[in-house]
Amino acid sequence: MHLENRVLVTGGAGFLGSHLCERLLDAGANVICVDNFFSGTRSNIEHLIGHKRFELIRHDVTMPLFVEVDEIYNLACPASPVHYQRDPVQTTKTSVLGAINMLGLAKRVGAKILQASTSEIYGDPQVHPQPESYWGHVNPIGLRACYDEGKRCAETLFFDYKRQHNLRIKLARIFNTYGPRMHPNDGRVVSNFVVQALLGRDITIYGEGTQTRSFCYVDDLVDGLMRFMAAGDGVFGPINLGNPEEFTIRQLAEQVIALTGSRSRIVHRPIPQDDPHQRRPDISCAHDVLEWAPRTRLSEGLKRTIGYFDALLADRTMHGRLTTAVA
């Protein structure tokens, strides 16, 4: 990365975006963080405010943005079911109009642009593990479709802009990522289990807990994104980024209980509509092309994540919010 690089991160105050902004600053970039704070929070990037190479803009990517930048990481979109189903129409707009506006910006200023796509584009997969060549198995009218199909449409737009305008694109399909700064009430399995365990509440599993997921620690994921952006223009993806180690949801719950020393019991609830049964990335492409693979084991990443939520619970105000949320 050139030291004078001007980098735009949309969704920069979110869980993943805030870690990316931090790492880009460490690498010497000038960072413009854009967020409308629908699911991102100011507290995630508060420690960066005042940094001479960091700028925060409150803006919704469904509206055009006019800035001069060299690189764009388009991360803007609520990524947890609780958040993206709260306003499904806005979720689709964020994915589709946000992609159009950021691609238009990249075209105007000649910037390289990376799209944060998702493993959700594979839906409830019938191929396991999921390679980039798999087209997916998605319900286009289900409760998750606002996110799944919004991201699929964004992928289409990125490749059409590449073919039609010779735009320099990067398309990353991100699998389950966890770590500090996850939103405590976002309904994602890691944050749910950790908060419930720390409060001594029942840990809620949907179905029998035999569904599998692969959990990538946030530092590893950010490393993958930055390696991808730094790769030559001939490397544009799509590329899966995630941890290929696979765990059942019940195994995750048991590990969280053990690491927290909690007395929480595991209880079962009906499985949500279109919940994928299996999810595991084939990262052969990332390994071969980017020389990337995650290094953080689940037990180590969970310890750091538990430490973060433990500190949140020490805050009386946050403790009240979390207690209400998991009651």
Side-chain angles (χ1 to χ4, degrees), residues 128 189-190 193 205-206 208-215 244-256 266 268 276-280 298 302:
H128 192 74
V189 65
V190 172
F193 287 2
I205 284 181
Y206 297 100
E208 293 303 310
T210 57
Q211 313 96 302
T212 65
R213 295 292 184 271
S214 304
F215 303 101
E245 254 195 296
E246 192 174 9
F247 297 87
T248 67
I249 297 300
R250 186 172 189 93
Q251 285 174 324
L252 175 68
E254 290 167 348
Q255 195 161 159
V256 168
I266 294 174
H268 298 268
H277 187 69
Q278 293 178 304
R279 186 63 62 71
R280 176 187 165 202
L298 181 62
L302 283 176

PDB file of all heavy atoms in Angstrom, residues 128 189-190 193 205-206 208-215 244-256 266 268 276-280 298 302:
ATOM      1  N   HIS A 128     -21.067 -29.159  -0.601  1.00  0.00           N
ATOM      2  CA  HIS A 128     -20.346 -28.936   0.654  1.00  0.00           C
ATOM      3  C   HIS A 128     -18.943 -29.497   0.566  1.00  0.00           C
ATOM      4  O   HIS A 128     -18.769 -30.638   0.151  1.00  0.00           O
ATOM      5  CB  HIS A 128     -21.115 -29.601   1.794  1.00  0.00           C
ATOM      6  CG  HIS A 128     -20.643 -29.209   3.150  1.00  0.00           C
ATOM      7  ND1 HIS A 128     -20.917 -27.979   3.705  1.00  0.00           N
ATOM      8  CD2 HIS A 128     -19.879 -29.865   4.063  1.00  0.00           C
ATOM      9  CE1 HIS A 128     -20.364 -27.910   4.913  1.00  0.00           C
ATOM     10  NE2 HIS A 128     -19.726 -29.049   5.142  1.00  0.00           N
ATOM     11  N   VAL A 189     -24.934 -16.036  16.294  1.00  0.00           N
ATOM     12  CA  VAL A 189     -24.798 -17.148  17.226  1.00  0.00           C
ATOM     13  C   VAL A 189     -23.676 -16.930  18.246  1.00  0.00           C
ATOM     14  O   VAL A 189     -23.856 -17.225  19.437  1.00  0.00           O
ATOM     15  CB  VAL A 189     -24.636 -18.474  16.443  1.00  0.00           C
ATOM     16  CG1 VAL A 189     -23.346 -18.516  15.645  1.00  0.00           C
ATOM     17  CG2 VAL A 189     -24.718 -19.658  17.377  1.00  0.00           C
ATOM     18  N   VAL A 190     -22.522 -16.394  17.845  1.00  0.00           N
ATOM     19  CA  VAL A 190     -21.425 -16.225  18.792  1.00  0.00           C
ATOM     20  C   VAL A 190     -21.785 -15.199  19.855  1.00  0.00           C
ATOM     21  O   VAL A 190     -21.637 -15.450  21.062  1.00  0.00           O
ATOM     22  CB  VAL A 190     -20.115 -15.833  18.070  1.00  0.00           C
ATOM     23  CG1 VAL A 190     -19.031 -15.456  19.087  1.00  0.00           C
ATOM     24  CG2 VAL A 190     -19.622 -16.977  17.194  1.00  0.00           C
ATOM     25  N   PHE A 193     -24.572 -16.563  22.240  1.00  0.00           N
ATOM     26  CA  PHE A 193     -24.132 -17.575  23.201  1.00  0.00           C
ATOM     27  C   PHE A 193     -23.245 -16.971  24.287  1.00  0.00           C
ATOM     28  O   PHE A 193     -23.376 -17.308  25.463  1.00  0.00           O
ATOM     29  CB  PHE A 193     -23.369 -18.685  22.476  1.00  0.00           C
ATOM     30  CG  PHE A 193     -24.239 -19.618  21.656  1.00  0.00           C
ATOM     31  CD1 PHE A 193     -25.602 -19.427  21.565  1.00  0.00           C
ATOM     32  CD2 PHE A 193     -23.672 -20.696  20.990  1.00  0.00           C
ATOM     33  CE1 PHE A 193     -26.399 -20.280  20.811  1.00  0.00           C
ATOM     34  CE2 PHE A 193     -24.455 -21.559  20.246  1.00  0.00           C
ATOM     35  CZ  PHE A 193     -25.822 -21.358  20.145  1.00  0.00           C
ATOM     36  N   ILE A 205     -30.573 -22.746  21.352  1.00  0.00           N
ATOM     37  CA  ILE A 205     -30.184 -23.403  20.103  1.00  0.00           C
ATOM     38  C   ILE A 205     -31.443 -23.614  19.273  1.00  0.00           C
ATOM     39  O   ILE A 205     -32.480 -24.033  19.797  1.00  0.00           O
ATOM     40  CB  ILE A 205     -29.493 -24.757  20.389  1.00  0.00           C
ATOM     41  CG1 ILE A 205     -28.057 -24.537  20.865  1.00  0.00           C
ATOM     42  CG2 ILE A 205     -29.501 -25.651  19.166  1.00  0.00           C
ATOM     43  CD1 ILE A 205     -27.309 -25.816  21.145  1.00  0.00           C
ATOM     44  N   TYR A 206     -31.369 -23.309  17.995  1.00  0.00           N
ATOM     45  CA  TYR A 206     -32.508 -23.514  17.099  1.00  0.00           C
ATOM     46  C   TYR A 206     -32.391 -24.886  16.451  1.00  0.00           C
ATOM     47  O   TYR A 206     -31.347 -25.236  15.898  1.00  0.00           O
ATOM     48  CB  TYR A 206     -32.572 -22.405  16.062  1.00  0.00           C
ATOM     49  CG  TYR A 206     -32.804 -21.050  16.694  1.00  0.00           C
ATOM     50  CD1 TYR A 206     -31.759 -20.155  16.902  1.00  0.00           C
ATOM     51  CD2 TYR A 206     -34.070 -20.698  17.143  1.00  0.00           C
ATOM     52  CE1 TYR A 206     -31.974 -18.932  17.521  1.00  0.00           C
ATOM     53  CE2 TYR A 206     -34.303 -19.475  17.768  1.00  0.00           C
ATOM     54  CZ  TYR A 206     -33.242 -18.606  17.948  1.00  0.00           C
ATOM     55  OH  TYR A 206     -33.458 -17.395  18.573  1.00  0.00           O
ATOM     56  N   GLU A 208     -31.965 -28.919  16.557  1.00  0.00           N
ATOM     57  CA  GLU A 208     -31.190 -29.820  17.413  1.00  0.00           C
ATOM     58  C   GLU A 208     -29.752 -29.356  17.603  1.00  0.00           C
ATOM     59  O   GLU A 208     -28.980 -29.988  18.329  1.00  0.00           O
ATOM     60  CB  GLU A 208     -31.214 -31.240  16.811  1.00  0.00           C
ATOM     61  CG  GLU A 208     -32.584 -31.885  16.824  1.00  0.00           C
ATOM     62  CD  GLU A 208     -33.177 -31.951  18.218  1.00  0.00           C
ATOM     63  OE1 GLU A 208     -32.480 -32.417  19.142  1.00  0.00           O
ATOM     64  OE2 GLU A 208     -34.339 -31.517  18.396  1.00  0.00           O
ATOM     65  N   GLY A 209     -29.355 -28.281  16.911  1.00  0.00           N
ATOM     66  CA  GLY A 209     -27.981 -27.798  17.030  1.00  0.00           C
ATOM     67  C   GLY A 209     -27.001 -28.573  16.172  1.00  0.00           C
ATOM     68  O   GLY A 209     -25.784 -28.493  16.360  1.00  0.00           O
ATOM     69  N   THR A 210     -27.540 -29.328  15.201  1.00  0.00           N
ATOM     70  CA  THR A 210     -26.659 -30.107  14.315  1.00  0.00           C
ATOM     71  C   THR A 210     -26.209 -29.291  13.102  1.00  0.00           C
ATOM     72  O   THR A 210     -25.366 -29.757  12.334  1.00  0.00           O
ATOM     73  CB  THR A 210     -27.373 -31.377  13.820  1.00  0.00           C
ATOM     74  OG1 THR A 210     -28.597 -30.993  13.163  1.00  0.00           O
ATOM     75  CG2 THR A 210     -27.679 -32.317  14.971  1.00  0.00           C
ATOM     76  N   GLN A 211     -26.779 -28.087  12.938  1.00  0.00           N
ATOM     77  CA  GLN A 211     -26.319 -27.225  11.850  1.00  0.00           C
ATOM     78  C   GLN A 211     -24.839 -26.940  12.049  1.00  0.00           C
ATOM     79  O   GLN A 211     -24.369 -26.813  13.173  1.00  0.00           O
ATOM     80  CB  GLN A 211     -27.069 -25.882  11.819  1.00  0.00           C
ATOM     81  CG  GLN A 211     -28.561 -25.951  11.940  1.00  0.00           C
ATOM     82  CD  GLN A 211     -29.025 -25.737  13.355  1.00  0.00           C
ATOM     83  OE1 GLN A 211     -28.633 -26.478  14.255  1.00  0.00           O
ATOM     84  NE2 GLN A 211     -29.888 -24.750  13.563  1.00  0.00           N
ATOM     85  N   THR A 212     -24.105 -26.818  10.964  1.00  0.00           N
ATOM     86  CA  THR A 212     -22.672 -26.527  11.093  1.00  0.00           C
ATOM     87  C   THR A 212     -22.361 -25.129  10.576  1.00  0.00           C
ATOM     88  O   THR A 212     -23.025 -24.624   9.662  1.00  0.00           O
ATOM     89  CB  THR A 212     -21.807 -27.542  10.320  1.00  0.00           C
ATOM     90  OG1 THR A 212     -22.060 -27.428   8.917  1.00  0.00           O
ATOM     91  CG2 THR A 212     -22.076 -28.962  10.792  1.00  0.00           C
ATOM     92  N   ARG A 213     -21.363 -24.514  11.194  1.00  0.00           N
ATOM     93  CA  ARG A 213     -20.861 -23.212  10.770  1.00  0.00           C
ATOM     94  C   ARG A 213     -19.340 -23.230  10.889  1.00  0.00           C
ATOM     95  O   ARG A 213     -18.758 -24.062  11.595  1.00  0.00           O
ATOM     96  CB  ARG A 213     -21.422 -22.081  11.654  1.00  0.00           C
ATOM     97  CG  ARG A 213     -22.923 -21.879  11.572  1.00  0.00           C
ATOM     98  CD  ARG A 213     -23.373 -21.354  10.219  1.00  0.00           C
ATOM     99  NE  ARG A 213     -24.808 -21.083  10.205  1.00  0.00           N
ATOM    100  CZ  ARG A 213     -25.737 -21.974   9.884  1.00  0.00           C
ATOM    101  NH1 ARG A 213     -25.380 -23.207   9.563  1.00  0.00           N
ATOM    102  NH2 ARG A 213     -27.014 -21.642   9.879  1.00  0.00           N
ATOM    103  N   SER A 214     -18.709 -22.299  10.203  1.00  0.00           N
ATOM    104  CA  SER A 214     -17.259 -22.143  10.264  1.00  0.00           C
ATOM    105  C   SER A 214     -16.996 -20.713  10.709  1.00  0.00           C
ATOM    106  O   SER A 214     -17.475 -19.774  10.072  1.00  0.00           O
ATOM    107  CB  SER A 214     -16.652 -22.406   8.886  1.00  0.00           C
ATOM    108  OG  SER A 214     -17.018 -23.689   8.418  1.00  0.00           O
ATOM    109  N   PHE A 215     -16.235 -20.538  11.775  1.00  0.00           N
ATOM    110  CA  PHE A 215     -16.093 -19.239  12.422  1.00  0.00           C
ATOM    111  C   PHE A 215     -14.688 -18.676  12.217  1.00  0.00           C
ATOM    112  O   PHE A 215     -13.703 -19.278  12.642  1.00  0.00           O
ATOM    113  CB  PHE A 215     -16.403 -19.362  13.915  1.00  0.00           C
ATOM    114  CG  PHE A 215     -17.774 -19.924  14.193  1.00  0.00           C
ATOM    115  CD1 PHE A 215     -17.930 -21.254  14.550  1.00  0.00           C
ATOM    116  CD2 PHE A 215     -18.897 -19.126  14.073  1.00  0.00           C
ATOM    117  CE1 PHE A 215     -19.188 -21.777  14.793  1.00  0.00           C
ATOM    118  CE2 PHE A 215     -20.171 -19.643  14.316  1.00  0.00           C
ATOM    119  CZ  PHE A 215     -20.315 -20.975  14.670  1.00  0.00           C
ATOM    120  N   PRO A 244     -12.159 -22.706   7.291  1.00  0.00           N
ATOM    121  CA  PRO A 244     -12.717 -23.980   6.847  1.00  0.00           C
ATOM    122  C   PRO A 244     -12.953 -25.001   7.957  1.00  0.00           C
ATOM    123  O   PRO A 244     -13.490 -26.072   7.700  1.00  0.00           O
ATOM    124  CB  PRO A 244     -11.665 -24.490   5.851  1.00  0.00           C
ATOM    125  CG  PRO A 244     -10.386 -23.885   6.301  1.00  0.00           C
ATOM    126  CD  PRO A 244     -10.760 -22.537   6.864  1.00  0.00           C
ATOM    127  N   GLU A 245     -12.550 -24.671   9.209  1.00  0.00           N
ATOM    128  CA  GLU A 245     -12.843 -25.573  10.323  1.00  0.00           C
ATOM    129  C   GLU A 245     -14.333 -25.524  10.623  1.00  0.00           C
ATOM    130  O   GLU A 245     -14.903 -24.449  10.828  1.00  0.00           O
ATOM    131  CB  GLU A 245     -12.055 -25.152  11.567  1.00  0.00           C
ATOM    132  CG  GLU A 245     -10.882 -26.056  11.888  1.00  0.00           C
ATOM    133  CD  GLU A 245     -10.362 -25.816  13.292  1.00  0.00           C
ATOM    134  OE1 GLU A 245      -9.878 -24.706  13.544  1.00  0.00           O
ATOM    135  OE2 GLU A 245     -10.462 -26.734  14.127  1.00  0.00           O
ATOM    136  N   GLU A 246     -14.959 -26.680  10.702  1.00  0.00           N
ATOM    137  CA  GLU A 246     -16.416 -26.751  10.813  1.00  0.00           C
ATOM    138  C   GLU A 246     -16.830 -27.248  12.199  1.00  0.00           C
ATOM    139  O   GLU A 246     -16.265 -28.202  12.724  1.00  0.00           O
ATOM    140  CB  GLU A 246     -16.927 -27.707   9.728  1.00  0.00           C
ATOM    141  CG  GLU A 246     -18.417 -27.700   9.499  1.00  0.00           C
ATOM    142  CD  GLU A 246     -18.785 -28.571   8.303  1.00  0.00           C
ATOM    143  OE1 GLU A 246     -17.916 -29.297   7.783  1.00  0.00           O
ATOM    144  OE2 GLU A 246     -19.960 -28.528   7.905  1.00  0.00           O
ATOM    145  N   PHE A 247     -17.824 -26.566  12.794  1.00  0.00           N
ATOM    146  CA  PHE A 247     -18.340 -26.948  14.108  1.00  0.00           C
ATOM    147  C   PHE A 247     -19.858 -26.986  14.056  1.00  0.00           C
ATOM    148  O   PHE A 247     -20.481 -26.176  13.355  1.00  0.00           O
ATOM    149  CB  PHE A 247     -17.924 -25.932  15.188  1.00  0.00           C
ATOM    150  CG  PHE A 247     -16.440 -25.837  15.409  1.00  0.00           C
ATOM    151  CD1 PHE A 247     -15.666 -24.984  14.643  1.00  0.00           C
ATOM    152  CD2 PHE A 247     -15.824 -26.602  16.382  1.00  0.00           C
ATOM    153  CE1 PHE A 247     -14.288 -24.882  14.840  1.00  0.00           C
ATOM    154  CE2 PHE A 247     -14.449 -26.517  16.592  1.00  0.00           C
ATOM    155  CZ  PHE A 247     -13.684 -25.658  15.821  1.00  0.00           C
ATOM    156  N   THR A 248     -20.461 -27.888  14.829  1.00  0.00           N
ATOM    157  CA  THR A 248     -21.915 -27.817  14.975  1.00  0.00           C
ATOM    158  C   THR A 248     -22.243 -26.684  15.940  1.00  0.00           C
ATOM    159  O   THR A 248     -21.401 -26.275  16.762  1.00  0.00           O
ATOM    160  CB  THR A 248     -22.515 -29.128  15.529  1.00  0.00           C
ATOM    161  OG1 THR A 248     -22.086 -29.308  16.875  1.00  0.00           O
ATOM    162  CG2 THR A 248     -22.107 -30.329  14.679  1.00  0.00           C
ATOM    163  N   ILE A 249     -23.464 -26.203  15.857  1.00  0.00           N
ATOM    164  CA  ILE A 249     -23.902 -25.132  16.751  1.00  0.00           C
ATOM    165  C   ILE A 249     -23.865 -25.615  18.210  1.00  0.00           C
ATOM    166  O   ILE A 249     -23.507 -24.857  19.119  1.00  0.00           O
ATOM    167  CB  ILE A 249     -25.321 -24.664  16.365  1.00  0.00           C
ATOM    168  CG1 ILE A 249     -25.321 -24.068  14.947  1.00  0.00           C
ATOM    169  CG2 ILE A 249     -25.853 -23.655  17.368  1.00  0.00           C
ATOM    170  CD1 ILE A 249     -24.414 -22.865  14.762  1.00  0.00           C
ATOM    171  N   ARG A 250     -24.174 -26.865  18.418  1.00  0.00           N
ATOM    172  CA  ARG A 250     -24.114 -27.409  19.791  1.00  0.00           C
ATOM    173  C   ARG A 250     -22.674 -27.422  20.299  1.00  0.00           C
ATOM    174  O   ARG A 250     -22.424 -27.092  21.467  1.00  0.00           O
ATOM    175  CB  ARG A 250     -24.719 -28.817  19.838  1.00  0.00           C
ATOM    176  CG  ARG A 250     -24.797 -29.326  21.258  1.00  0.00           C
ATOM    177  CD  ARG A 250     -25.544 -30.629  21.413  1.00  0.00           C
ATOM    178  NE  ARG A 250     -25.730 -30.886  22.850  1.00  0.00           N
ATOM    179  CZ  ARG A 250     -26.779 -30.528  23.540  1.00  0.00           C
ATOM    180  NH1 ARG A 250     -27.780 -29.881  22.966  1.00  0.00           N
ATOM    181  NH2 ARG A 250     -26.868 -30.794  24.837  1.00  0.00           N
ATOM    182  N   GLN A 251     -21.708 -27.788  19.446  1.00  0.00           N
ATOM    183  CA  GLN A 251     -20.303 -27.766  19.854  1.00  0.00           C
ATOM    184  C   GLN A 251     -19.866 -26.355  20.248  1.00  0.00           C
ATOM    185  O   GLN A 251     -19.127 -26.166  21.213  1.00  0.00           O
ATOM    186  CB  GLN A 251     -19.414 -28.288  18.718  1.00  0.00           C
ATOM    187  CG  GLN A 251     -19.460 -29.791  18.528  1.00  0.00           C
ATOM    188  CD  GLN A 251     -18.669 -30.232  17.308  1.00  0.00           C
ATOM    189  OE1 GLN A 251     -18.644 -29.544  16.282  1.00  0.00           O
ATOM    190  NE2 GLN A 251     -18.021 -31.389  17.403  1.00  0.00           N
ATOM    191  N   LEU A 252     -20.337 -25.367  19.488  1.00  0.00           N
ATOM    192  CA  LEU A 252     -20.011 -23.978  19.822  1.00  0.00           C
ATOM    193  C   LEU A 252     -20.574 -23.618  21.190  1.00  0.00           C
ATOM    194  O   LEU A 252     -19.883 -23.023  22.025  1.00  0.00           O
ATOM    195  CB  LEU A 252     -20.573 -23.028  18.761  1.00  0.00           C
ATOM    196  CG  LEU A 252     -20.400 -21.541  19.070  1.00  0.00           C
ATOM    197  CD1 LEU A 252     -18.929 -21.131  19.008  1.00  0.00           C
ATOM    198  CD2 LEU A 252     -21.238 -20.680  18.124  1.00  0.00           C
ATOM    199  N   ALA A 253     -21.834 -23.967  21.432  1.00  0.00           N
ATOM    200  CA  ALA A 253     -22.464 -23.661  22.716  1.00  0.00           C
ATOM    201  C   ALA A 253     -21.694 -24.311  23.869  1.00  0.00           C
ATOM    202  O   ALA A 253     -21.436 -23.673  24.906  1.00  0.00           O
ATOM    203  CB  ALA A 253     -23.917 -24.136  22.715  1.00  0.00           C
ATOM    204  N   GLU A 254     -21.307 -25.559  23.700  1.00  0.00           N
ATOM    205  CA  GLU A 254     -20.573 -26.268  24.749  1.00  0.00           C
ATOM    206  C   GLU A 254     -19.212 -25.626  25.004  1.00  0.00           C
ATOM    207  O   GLU A 254     -18.758 -25.523  26.150  1.00  0.00           O
ATOM    208  CB  GLU A 254     -20.416 -27.742  24.362  1.00  0.00           C
ATOM    209  CG  GLU A 254     -21.737 -28.518  24.417  1.00  0.00           C
ATOM    210  CD  GLU A 254     -21.659 -29.879  23.750  1.00  0.00           C
ATOM    211  OE1 GLU A 254     -20.649 -30.143  23.035  1.00  0.00           O
ATOM    212  OE2 GLU A 254     -22.615 -30.676  23.916  1.00  0.00           O
ATOM    213  N   GLN A 255     -18.551 -25.156  23.924  1.00  0.00           N
ATOM    214  CA  GLN A 255     -17.245 -24.519  24.091  1.00  0.00           C
ATOM    215  C   GLN A 255     -17.373 -23.177  24.808  1.00  0.00           C
ATOM    216  O   GLN A 255     -16.553 -22.841  25.667  1.00  0.00           O
ATOM    217  CB  GLN A 255     -16.574 -24.340  22.727  1.00  0.00           C
ATOM    218  CG  GLN A 255     -15.098 -24.028  22.847  1.00  0.00           C
ATOM    219  CD  GLN A 255     -14.313 -24.283  21.576  1.00  0.00           C
ATOM    220  OE1 GLN A 255     -13.229 -23.718  21.417  1.00  0.00           O
ATOM    221  NE2 GLN A 255     -14.811 -25.110  20.683  1.00  0.00           N
ATOM    222  N   VAL A 256     -18.408 -22.418  24.488  1.00  0.00           N
ATOM    223  CA  VAL A 256     -18.639 -21.129  25.160  1.00  0.00           C
ATOM    224  C   VAL A 256     -18.915 -21.354  26.647  1.00  0.00           C
ATOM    225  O   VAL A 256     -18.387 -20.632  27.508  1.00  0.00           O
ATOM    226  CB  VAL A 256     -19.804 -20.365  24.486  1.00  0.00           C
ATOM    227  CG1 VAL A 256     -20.252 -19.186  25.349  1.00  0.00           C
ATOM    228  CG2 VAL A 256     -19.392 -19.871  23.102  1.00  0.00           C
ATOM    229  N   ILE A 266     -28.468 -25.602  27.955  1.00  0.00           N
ATOM    230  CA  ILE A 266     -28.793 -25.497  26.530  1.00  0.00           C
ATOM    231  C   ILE A 266     -30.262 -25.832  26.355  1.00  0.00           C
ATOM    232  O   ILE A 266     -30.738 -26.881  26.808  1.00  0.00           O
ATOM    233  CB  ILE A 266     -27.915 -26.438  25.691  1.00  0.00           C
ATOM    234  CG1 ILE A 266     -26.447 -25.988  25.745  1.00  0.00           C
ATOM    235  CG2 ILE A 266     -28.405 -26.490  24.252  1.00  0.00           C
ATOM    236  CD1 ILE A 266     -25.471 -26.933  25.057  1.00  0.00           C
ATOM    237  N   HIS A 268     -33.755 -25.662  23.478  1.00  0.00           N
ATOM    238  CA  HIS A 268     -34.005 -25.739  22.038  1.00  0.00           C
ATOM    239  C   HIS A 268     -35.249 -24.945  21.645  1.00  0.00           C
ATOM    240  O   HIS A 268     -36.241 -24.920  22.372  1.00  0.00           O
ATOM    241  CB  HIS A 268     -34.166 -27.204  21.616  1.00  0.00           C
ATOM    242  CG  HIS A 268     -32.939 -28.029  21.862  1.00  0.00           C
ATOM    243  ND1 HIS A 268     -31.965 -28.209  20.919  1.00  0.00           N
ATOM    244  CD2 HIS A 268     -32.522 -28.702  22.968  1.00  0.00           C
ATOM    245  CE1 HIS A 268     -31.005 -28.958  21.418  1.00  0.00           C
ATOM    246  NE2 HIS A 268     -31.319 -29.270  22.667  1.00  0.00           N
ATOM    247  N   PRO A 276     -29.579 -22.135   6.984  1.00  0.00           N
ATOM    248  CA  PRO A 276     -28.737 -23.117   6.293  1.00  0.00           C
ATOM    249  C   PRO A 276     -28.307 -24.248   7.227  1.00  0.00           C
ATOM    250  O   PRO A 276     -27.963 -24.011   8.385  1.00  0.00           O
ATOM    251  CB  PRO A 276     -27.510 -22.301   5.850  1.00  0.00           C
ATOM    252  CG  PRO A 276     -27.946 -20.876   5.913  1.00  0.00           C
ATOM    253  CD  PRO A 276     -28.965 -20.795   6.999  1.00  0.00           C
ATOM    254  N   HIS A 277     -28.326 -25.479   6.716  1.00  0.00           N
ATOM    255  CA  HIS A 277     -27.935 -26.616   7.541  1.00  0.00           C
ATOM    256  C   HIS A 277     -26.421 -26.764   7.614  1.00  0.00           C
ATOM    257  O   HIS A 277     -25.885 -27.166   8.650  1.00  0.00           O
ATOM    258  CB  HIS A 277     -28.554 -27.909   7.001  1.00  0.00           C
ATOM    259  CG  HIS A 277     -28.311 -29.093   7.906  1.00  0.00           C
ATOM    260  ND1 HIS A 277     -28.899 -29.213   9.151  1.00  0.00           N
ATOM    261  CD2 HIS A 277     -27.513 -30.181   7.770  1.00  0.00           C
ATOM    262  CE1 HIS A 277     -28.488 -30.329   9.736  1.00  0.00           C
ATOM    263  NE2 HIS A 277     -27.632 -30.948   8.919  1.00  0.00           N
ATOM    264  N   GLN A 278     -25.742 -26.453   6.524  1.00  0.00           N
ATOM    265  CA  GLN A 278     -24.286 -26.559   6.500  1.00  0.00           C
ATOM    266  C   GLN A 278     -23.677 -25.284   5.937  1.00  0.00           C
ATOM    267  O   GLN A 278     -24.219 -24.679   5.015  1.00  0.00           O
ATOM    268  CB  GLN A 278     -23.834 -27.730   5.614  1.00  0.00           C
ATOM    269  CG  GLN A 278     -24.196 -29.097   6.135  1.00  0.00           C
ATOM    270  CD  GLN A 278     -23.759 -30.186   5.170  1.00  0.00           C
ATOM    271  OE1 GLN A 278     -24.136 -30.175   3.994  1.00  0.00           O
ATOM    272  NE2 GLN A 278     -22.957 -31.128   5.645  1.00  0.00           N
ATOM    273  N   ARG A 279     -22.538 -24.901   6.469  1.00  0.00           N
ATOM    274  CA  ARG A 279     -21.853 -23.715   5.951  1.00  0.00           C
ATOM    275  C   ARG A 279     -20.361 -23.868   6.224  1.00  0.00           C
ATOM    276  O   ARG A 279     -19.937 -23.876   7.374  1.00  0.00           O
ATOM    277  CB  ARG A 279     -22.409 -22.459   6.629  1.00  0.00           C
ATOM    278  CG  ARG A 279     -21.907 -21.143   6.103  1.00  0.00           C
ATOM    279  CD  ARG A 279     -22.276 -20.912   4.652  1.00  0.00           C
ATOM    280  NE  ARG A 279     -23.671 -20.843   4.324  1.00  0.00           N
ATOM    281  CZ  ARG A 279     -24.501 -19.851   4.642  1.00  0.00           C
ATOM    282  NH1 ARG A 279     -24.083 -18.843   5.358  1.00  0.00           N
ATOM    283  NH2 ARG A 279     -25.736 -19.869   4.243  1.00  0.00           N
ATOM    284  N   ARG A 280     -19.591 -24.042   5.156  1.00  0.00           N
ATOM    285  CA  ARG A 280     -18.150 -24.185   5.280  1.00  0.00           C
ATOM    286  C   ARG A 280     -17.491 -23.766   3.981  1.00  0.00           C
ATOM    287  O   ARG A 280     -17.853 -24.254   2.911  1.00  0.00           O
ATOM    288  CB  ARG A 280     -17.783 -25.640   5.590  1.00  0.00           C
ATOM    289  CG  ARG A 280     -16.278 -25.908   5.654  1.00  0.00           C
ATOM    290  CD  ARG A 280     -16.014 -27.387   5.784  1.00  0.00           C
ATOM    291  NE  ARG A 280     -14.623 -27.699   5.505  1.00  0.00           N
ATOM    292  CZ  ARG A 280     -14.196 -28.902   5.138  1.00  0.00           C
ATOM    293  NH1 ARG A 280     -15.044 -29.895   5.000  1.00  0.00           N
ATOM    294  NH2 ARG A 280     -12.922 -29.114   4.909  1.00  0.00           N
ATOM    295  N   LEU A 298     -10.491 -21.366  17.129  1.00  0.00           N
ATOM    296  CA  LEU A 298     -11.765 -20.928  17.696  1.00  0.00           C
ATOM    297  C   LEU A 298     -11.651 -20.673  19.198  1.00  0.00           C
ATOM    298  O   LEU A 298     -12.165 -19.672  19.698  1.00  0.00           O
ATOM    299  CB  LEU A 298     -12.856 -21.969  17.413  1.00  0.00           C
ATOM    300  CG  LEU A 298     -14.255 -21.628  17.940  1.00  0.00           C
ATOM    301  CD1 LEU A 298     -14.789 -20.352  17.302  1.00  0.00           C
ATOM    302  CD2 LEU A 298     -15.220 -22.791  17.693  1.00  0.00           C
ATOM    303  N   LEU A 302     -12.498 -17.079  20.754  1.00  0.00           N
ATOM    304  CA  LEU A 302     -13.614 -16.980  21.704  1.00  0.00           C
ATOM    305  C   LEU A 302     -13.171 -16.350  23.020  1.00  0.00           C
ATOM    306  O   LEU A 302     -13.912 -15.561  23.611  1.00  0.00           O
ATOM    307  CB  LEU A 302     -14.219 -18.366  21.962  1.00  0.00           C
ATOM    308  CG  LEU A 302     -15.131 -18.926  20.868  1.00  0.00           C
ATOM    309  CD1 LEU A 302     -15.576 -20.339  21.220  1.00  0.00           C
ATOM    310  CD2 LEU A 302     -16.346 -18.030  20.623  1.00  0.00           C
TER     311      LEU A 302
END
